[in-house]
Amino acid sequence: MTIDTRPHTTVGRTWLELPDDHPFGIQTLPYGAFTTSTGDTRVGVRIGDQVLDLTAASARLDPAHAALFAAGSLDRLLAAGPDAWTRTRATLTDWLTDPTRRHDLEPLLVAVDEAAMVLPFTVADYVDFYASEHHATNLGNLFRPGQPPLPPNWKHLPIGYHGRAGTVVVSGTPVIRPQGQRRTPDGDVVFGPSVRLDIEAELGFVVGTPSALGRPVDLAAFPQHVFGVCLVNDWSARDIQAWEYAPLGPFLGKSFATSAAPWIVPLAALEAARVAPPARAPRPLPYLDDTDADPWGLDIRLEVSLNGHVVSRPPFASMYWTAAQQLAHMTINGASLRTGDFFASGTISGPRATERGSFIELTWGGNEPLQLPDGSTRTFLEDHDEVVITATAPGPSGTTLGLGEVHGRIAPTHRSD
């Protein structure tokens, strides 16, 4: 059978008979990895409320490419590059819309609730950016009242820092309250559990194709290197971070946990969600100037819930710097990319108070507590609190893409004997 490898701009009907408005219809097809009852790890593709075992399906129906999925992770597919990504997506679309494939594939479907999801790729390096003008302005006003909220470099380059790849964890992993040094309001330096534990609602980007050391990746090459996106919660201990960050930036206040959603939505699925980014002044330097380039703003809408109550709806379309610009800046000095490199957008916040992607903004530094339906209030997170971040984006032909969710529950500090 000949497979059409061109990007799909229309939506076919799957034989699973899903509702037209299902966020995980044929238009989405995100990738993940899950364990089976035998303990094996498999690559899976979500369709509706089920997961297709792609490791088993490729061995049975596409043996020439089965090695890409045999190891139970996305690592080999990521490294295989854009042609393989396009071919795989086209093949999946064909399988799931061709009724004659139902007999072969239906036994390989697993209910989402029965799939134990794991981190689907090996994280090589992790970089976190600071790309929301609204977020950066809010923090500037909180921390430097009476001064310009943005540092002088902010509108000239995407500010970022290298995080800790080893503590990127899959959604659902308990988040143990970190401990460390902090300075009290009276100026005393103390040690203990963080009392200002926070979230950062973000979008993560997964690198597939590596690049050569010494050769920057330009804006136009972004889709040749980035495989897909997922939701991220970059947990933050604001009190530990505030004491340690000068002069080198975040360290222990950020490195204890970064939660990633289990589903990686291919970049190809987001064509209908692409929008122009906000107007920029001053005009960026040439290597960052996307004025005449294809836009890489994304119309993705997030929703943040605390203990089942929606507290914010951050819009990703308002982000000042795009992921394409972040990748170009990250490599402009000649730094190379590796398969599995992972970079996050930074906190996503919109212009309204109800669109802020962190509790430090939502409660204005803890001075304006959130009122919850059960009568309790929150400034920062308490033990056993659960945060869930979800998101959707427009798909082709009026459909909706689902990005799944990233969630985590706060566990008490682990104290050694």
Side-chain angles (χ1 to χ4, degrees):
M1 177 182 297
T2 300
I3 300 295
D4 180 4
T5 59
R6 295 171 297 178
H8 288 260
T9 56
T10 58
V11 180
R13 276 202 167 273
T14 173
W15 42 261
L16 277 84
E17 301 172 358
L18 300 177
D20 291 340
D21 60 351
H22 200 295
F24 292 101
I26 201 71
Q27 73 279 3
T28 310
L29 299 182
Y31 297 88
F34 67 101
T35 58
T36 67
S37 57
T38 63
D40 295 334
T41 304
R42 307 296 185 98
V43 174
V45 174
R46 183 164 178 178
I47 178 71
D49 296 320
Q50 301 186 81
V51 182
L52 174 65
D53 183 341
L54 184 53
T55 299
S58 60
R60 181 177 301 180
L61 301 179
D62 191 18
H65 300 96
L68 291 177
F69 315 104
S73 82
L74 295 179
D75 293 355
R76 294 178 183 175
L77 178 63
L78 295 179
D83 289 346
W85 307 342
T86 301
R87 194 206 72 84
T88 299
R89 184 169 171 82
T91 298
L92 285 165
T93 301
D94 176 75
W95 286 352
L96 292 167
T97 56
D98 182 352
T100 66
R101 298 289 188 177
R102 183 170 192 162
H103 175 77
D104 294 319
L105 295 174
E106 203 161 37
L108 304 180
L109 292 169
V110 178
V112 167
D113 293 343
E114 297 175 5
M117 306 304 295
V118 298
L119 198 64
F121 66 99
T122 303
V123 180
D125 283 317
Y126 172 59
V127 172
D128 190 33
F129 282 95
Y130 190 47
S132 165
E133 182 177 4
H134 303 294
H135 173 69
T137 298
N138 286 337
L139 292 195
N141 286 330
L142 280 168
F143 297 152
R144 297 180 298 277
Q147 301 179 41
L150 299 178
N153 60 351
W154 200 92
K155 290 196 172 183
H156 292 272
L157 56 87
I159 295 174
Y161 72 95
H162 276 81
R164 191 171 190 274
T167 49
V168 177
V169 297
V170 72
S171 171
T173 304
V175 178
I176 299 172
R177 182 178 297 274
Q179 55 185 343
Q181 291 189 29
R182 54 187 171 84
R183 186 166 61 179
T184 70
D186 294 330
D188 297 326
V189 177
V190 300
F191 177 86
S194 170
V195 297
R196 292 168 69 89
L197 186 56
D198 201 354
I199 69 163
E200 290 189 346
E202 306 192 20
L203 192 66
F205 297 83
V206 181
V207 171
T209 311
S211 65
L213 184 66
R215 295 191 178 183
V217 175
D218 64 32
L219 290 171
F222 173 71
Q224 303 303 310
H225 290 275
V226 172
F227 172 77
V229 308
C230 69
L231 288 171
V232 168
N233 187 345
D234 198 28
W235 307 87
S236 298
R238 300 295 182 186
D239 44 0
I240 296 173
Q241 181 181 353
W243 174 234
E244 73 179 359
Y245 83 99
L248 295 182
F251 188 39
L252 300 183
K254 300 280 287 182
S255 63
F256 58 96
T258 298
S259 297
W263 297 111
I264 312 299
V265 177
L267 209 60
L270 292 167
E271 283 296 314
R274 292 173 63 177
V275 295
R280 306 201 187 88
R283 186 165 179 163
L285 293 174
Y287 78 96
L288 293 171
D289 189 358
D290 60 356
T291 304
D292 299 319
D294 291 336
W296 274 110
L298 294 170
D299 182 14
I300 296 176
R301 297 187 175 274
L302 287 74
E303 186 172 272
V304 180
S305 296
L306 172 62
N307 299 335
H309 174 62
V310 176
V311 295
S312 180
R313 291 186 172 89
F316 189 81
S318 67
M319 299 295 274
Y320 190 90
W321 296 106
T322 71
Q325 290 170 313
Q326 290 168 343
L327 190 73
H329 184 67
M330 196 159 58
T331 61
I332 194 61
N333 66 344
S336 57
L337 298 174
R338 292 190 292 172
T339 297
D341 279 352
F342 189 46
F343 65 100
S345 61
T347 304
I348 303 163
S349 292
R352 299 180 180 88
T354 55
E355 297 175 335
R356 296 168 179 168
S358 65
F359 285 100
I360 195 169
E361 296 172 88
L362 286 167
T363 68
W364 207 247
N367 295 313
E368 301 173 7
L370 290 173
Q371 302 289 328
L372 299 181
D374 64 1
S376 65
T377 62
R378 288 294 186 280
T379 52
F380 295 93
L381 295 170
E382 298 182 1
D383 288 350
H384 311 298
D385 280 347
E386 184 178 44
V387 176
V388 179
I389 303 172
T390 60
T392 58
S397 304
T399 57
T400 297
L401 303 178
L403 277 75
E405 67 175 42
V406 58
H407 68 274
R409 187 182 296 274
I410 307 303
T413 301
H414 175 73
R415 297 181 184 274
S416 58
D417 296 331

